[in-house]
Amino acid sequence: MALCSVFWAVILLATANSVHGGDACTGLPGLLNCAPFLLGSVSSPDANCCKSLKWLSQHAINREDKRELCKCLKVEDLKHKGVILDTAKALPRRCKVQLPVPLVPDNIDCDKIKAADEE
């Protein structure tokens, strides 16, 4: 549990001080609810985790928000913070939430993300 606390303290500090300071980034600390699942402590995300993920999906709707969320997630670089990447990639599906960008946006150029009406 100490590792979980340290991991998410880093997330909270990074998002609070991020240059990408809009709604999408400010929603990342809400993913604290997902820490047990993302770190492999539990086999399923709980309702609070999924609720936080849904909040992110609802606040990243236009092109700028989607790009910002993508950049925030790249800054967080979850793979270097103990997150099991396959678990993070599965989280939206497990919560039945469609995110506008992947939680692990490794090979995505965030500046090329478009709004739904531009695709």
Side-chain angles (χ1 to χ4, degrees):
M1 193 62 176
L3 175 63
C4 178
S5 298
V6 170
F7 165 75
W8 289 102
V10 171
I11 291 286
L12 291 170
L13 284 172
T15 55
N17 295 318
S18 176
V19 294
H20 311 287
D23 269 356
C25 287
T26 58
L28 288 183
L31 292 180
L32 174 62
N33 296 318
C34 301
F37 178 69
L38 293 172
L39 297 172
S41 301
V42 298
S43 60
S44 297
D46 67 16
N48 288 328
C49 168
C50 293
K51 183 178 176 181
S52 297
L53 200 64
K54 185 175 182 179
W55 186 95
L56 271 180
S57 73
Q58 293 171 337
H59 286 83
I61 51 175
N62 63 37
R63 177 182 40 198
E64 292 77 24
D65 291 343
K66 290 178 182 182
R67 288 178 179 178
E68 180 182 312
L69 177 59
C70 178
K71 289 174 184 177
C72 290
L73 290 167
K74 280 188 180 254
V75 166
E76 294 313 318
D77 195 10
L78 298 178
K79 66 184 168 192
H80 290 104
K81 295 187 173 129
V83 169
I84 301 166
L85 293 184
D86 288 340
T87 302
K89 290 175 183 177
L91 181 60
R93 179 178 42 80
R94 297 287 300 270
C95 287
K96 296 178 176 72
V97 173
Q98 185 172 352
L99 285 179
V101 298
L103 279 179
V104 185
D106 284 338
N107 300 315
I108 295 175
D109 181 349
C110 296
D111 290 322
K112 292 186 178 179
I113 293 176
K114 298 179 180 181
D117 61 353
E118 297 175 320
E119 296 174 359

